[in-house]
């Protein structure tokens, strides 16, 4: 297994409830290193661009509103098989379907306010990391 990087976002529902530390502890206890991290408030343009692959989906407008409704923490996680590992730790998109003990099962409020985002492939991880971070902001 190769050391990989993936893009994670701790979403507004989680920052509002002060869950950043608890979520980061899950990453760190499971072998993912936080090699870059910043708390930002996404603009509508930023959120629309980031989620443009979902532009035709019925939940797109609401998702964009939600992602701009408060601060988010964007981060680069590094570790063995980091893309798949992070998806395993997050659990299913819908918290009702997420395995017990996963971040979404523990913390998500709904399928939309589901506490975290994680890249779904190595290709998308590279694209999503470049969307938020300059190479010089990632210290490894
Ligand atoms: P994320 O992994 O960030 O990718 C797209 C996001 O859209 C997803 O998490 C949810 O926040 C949201 N989403 C996905 N499916 C639905 C849905 N059926 N209804 C509302 N929001 C959704």
């Amino acid at each position: 297994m190769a050391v990989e990087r993936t893009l994670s976002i701790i979403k507004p529902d989680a920052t509002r409830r002060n869950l950043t530390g608890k979520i980061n502890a899950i990453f760190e206890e499971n072998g993912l290193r936080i090699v870059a991290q910043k708390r930002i408030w996404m603009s509508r343009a930023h959120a629309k661009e980031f989620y443009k692959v979902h532009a035709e989906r019925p939940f797109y407008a609401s998702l964009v509103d939600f992602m701009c409704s408060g601060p988010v923490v964007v981060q680069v996680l590094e570790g063995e098989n980091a893309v798949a590992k992070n998806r395993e730790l997050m659990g299913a998109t819908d918290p009702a379907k997420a395995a017990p003990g996963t971040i979404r099962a523990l913390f998500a409020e709904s399928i939309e306010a589901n506490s975290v985002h994680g890249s779904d492939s190595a290709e998308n991880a590279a694209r999503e990391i470049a969307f938020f971070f300059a190479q010089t902001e990632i210290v490894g």
Side-chain angles (χ1 to χ4, degrees):
M1 267 188 296
V3 172
E4 284 180 340
R5 287 176 174 172
T6 191
L7 190 279
S8 166
I9 306 177
I10 301 178
K11 295 185 179 181
D13 67 287
T15 61
R16 177 171 44 79
R17 288 175 289 150
N18 242 1
L19 293 170
T20 300
K22 285 196 171 115
I23 292 170
N24 279 350
I26 292 173
F27 295 145
E28 293 188 336
E29 282 160 12
N30 287 280
L32 292 177
R33 183 176 297 277
I34 301 161
V35 295
Q37 174 169 263
K38 57 189 173 188
R39 184 173 161 106
I40 62 170
W41 197 313
M42 290 177 79
S43 67
R44 282 190 66 74
H46 219 185
K48 284 176 83 169
E49 174 68 17
F50 182 75
Y51 277 121
K52 69 180 178 196
V53 358
H54 297 303
E56 303 308 320
R57 309 286 282 273
F59 57 81
Y60 179 65
S62 176
L63 173 63
V64 168
D65 285 347
F66 166 64
M67 292 301 289
C68 304
S69 68
V72 299
V73 177
V74 290
Q75 45 194 189
V76 180
L77 307 178
E78 184 179 273
E80 292 284 334
N81 223 9
V83 172
K85 167 62 76 177
N86 184 37
R87 292 183 71 74
E88 183 188 316
L89 295 175
M90 289 192 299
T93 303
D94 181 352
K97 296 180 183 152
T102 60
I103 293 169
R104 285 165 169 162
L106 287 169
F107 302 127
E109 295 181 321
S110 67
I111 194 168
E112 176 177 86
N114 63 355
S115 300
V116 279
H117 165 83
S119 309
D120 64 4
S121 66
E123 294 71 27
N124 282 337
R127 188 179 57 75
E128 293 179 359
I129 289 168
F131 184 84
F132 285 109
F133 291 95
Q135 271 307 318
T136 49
E137 293 179 290
I138 306 172
V139 292

